[in-house]
Amino acid sequence: MNTPPSHLAFSSAAEGMVAFHRSELAVILPLYGRMVAAGEWRDYGISCLRDMAVFSVFRRSAEHPLYRIEKHPRLAGRQGQYAVVGMDGRILRRGHDLKTVLRVLERKLIRAVE
């Protein structure tokens, strides 16, 4: 029995999975860095699934995620492929443009200055 080389087995297993593109991560990671600097977030996780990709942010790594930034490519023609989901499962913002969708999280950085 011939087995394919390991790099071919990995690529066929990864085929069909949804992932964040480098340009999308270039939008998400600066926000993540600002929130870490503000002490709001401490950890993150990325999940690549068959129908969606998820960037989860945590206050502590042992908790449930505070927010999930989700990418659903099949919704690109309808409500928009990007969504920010709160800890309770509510969709806080959904849309076609990732920067616009992430504005709901950037508001958390704005605080009153005394």
Side-chain angles (χ1 to χ4, degrees):
M1 181 168 131
N2 290 338
T3 58
S6 61
H7 70 280
L8 290 179
F10 177 75
S11 66
S12 66
E15 192 173 306
M17 296 293 206
V18 177
F20 287 103
H21 190 267
R22 182 176 295 204
S23 61
E24 294 165 330
L25 290 174
V27 174
I28 295 170
L29 290 175
L31 171 65
Y32 174 77
R34 289 192 306 272
M35 294 299 263
V36 168
E40 296 292 322
W41 298 349
R42 296 183 188 220
D43 200 6
Y44 73 90
I46 299 177
S47 301
C48 299
L49 306 171
R50 186 168 302 282
D51 59 342
M52 68 183 204
V54 181
F55 186 98
S56 302
V57 293
F58 300 88
R59 185 164 304 201
R60 292 180 200 87
S61 58
E63 292 183 345
H64 293 287
L66 290 174
Y67 300 102
R68 294 188 323 261
I69 301 164
E70 298 181 350
K71 176 183 176 181
H72 296 269
R74 63 185 165 85
L75 296 177
R78 291 182 245 158
Q79 304 132 326
Q81 68 177 340
Y82 302 109
V84 173
V85 181
M87 185 187 295
D88 57 357
R90 283 185 305 146
I91 296 175
L92 304 177
R93 170 85 46 104
R94 174 170 291 198
H96 299 282
D97 181 47
L98 183 57
K99 286 182 183 180
T100 305
V101 171
L102 292 180
R103 283 189 193 146
V104 72
L105 297 176
E106 289 179 357
R107 290 185 194 150
K108 307 286 182 194
L109 280 174
I110 301 172
R111 293 188 179 141
V113 178
E114 296 179 12

